[in-house]
Amino acid sequence: MGMPLRAALLERLKEKLLEKRRTLINTVREKQADNLETGSDGTQDIADQATTAYTKEFLLSISDTERQLLKQVDAALEKMRLKKYGECERCGEPIGEKRLEALSFALFCIACQEEEERS
Ligand SMILES: [Zn+2]
């Protein structure tokens, strides 16, 4: 067990994650705006929708990379809620502050990430 992450750092990383999430969802929204002719009352908020469950349409409209990233961001946020943020999903060791600062949605420590990529 490593030291718990400092509250200030955690807060900053959470902001990063939320920002990343907003950016991703905005990208998707812009794509959808290009694809769809929405009526004046068609102000369906995909961002709000997406906070609970992703619709099929939503998932189909985004690329694999975006989908993967969004999943990772959500998983990281979920781990924050469970107070498990910063723990490696695979070995349970702390991921490391530097890595988290560089990659706020990292779910694995460097060693496990390499293992995952190899397999
Ligand atoms: Zn690990």
Side-chain angles (χ1 to χ4, degrees):
M1 281 286 283
M3 290 277 290
L5 290 171
R6 283 170 290 123
L9 175 65
L10 204 58
E11 200 51 43
R12 204 163 72 237
L13 292 173
K14 188 179 180 181
E15 269 312 305
K16 268 192 183 183
L17 283 168
L18 291 172
E19 182 59 40
K20 184 93 197 157
R21 195 172 194 283
R22 270 195 294 273
T23 311
L24 273 168
I25 289 172
N26 277 336
T27 311
V28 173
R29 200 191 250 156
E30 277 162 25
K31 278 188 195 171
Q32 287 189 331
D34 288 343
N35 292 341
L36 301 170
E37 279 290 313
T38 42
S40 54
D41 61 336
T43 49
Q44 199 181 27
D45 197 342
I46 197 91
D48 287 345
Q49 256 181 38
T51 56
T52 47
Y54 300 120
T55 64
K56 201 175 170 191
E57 291 74 20
F58 177 81
L59 288 173
L60 284 173
S61 67
I62 63 180
S63 72
D64 283 348
T65 321
E66 287 163 340
R67 185 160 40 220
Q68 197 57 41
L69 205 51
L70 197 54
K71 262 191 190 169
Q72 252 182 283
V73 169
D74 271 359
L77 285 167
E78 180 62 18
K79 284 177 82 171
M80 269 186 188
R81 275 193 289 272
L82 300 171
K83 308 246 184 281
K84 285 188 172 288
Y85 181 76
E87 273 177 30
C88 175
E89 293 271 280
R90 207 156 172 269
C91 68
E93 290 294 316
I95 291 173
E97 291 188 8
K98 277 197 180 129
R99 177 161 163 79
L100 289 172
E101 294 222 54
L103 205 70
S104 52
F105 48 85
L107 298 178
F108 302 105
C109 69
I110 292 172
C112 290
Q113 183 70 53
E114 283 169 1
E115 283 290 320
E116 285 287 312
E117 278 162 14
R118 217 170 299 152
S119 64

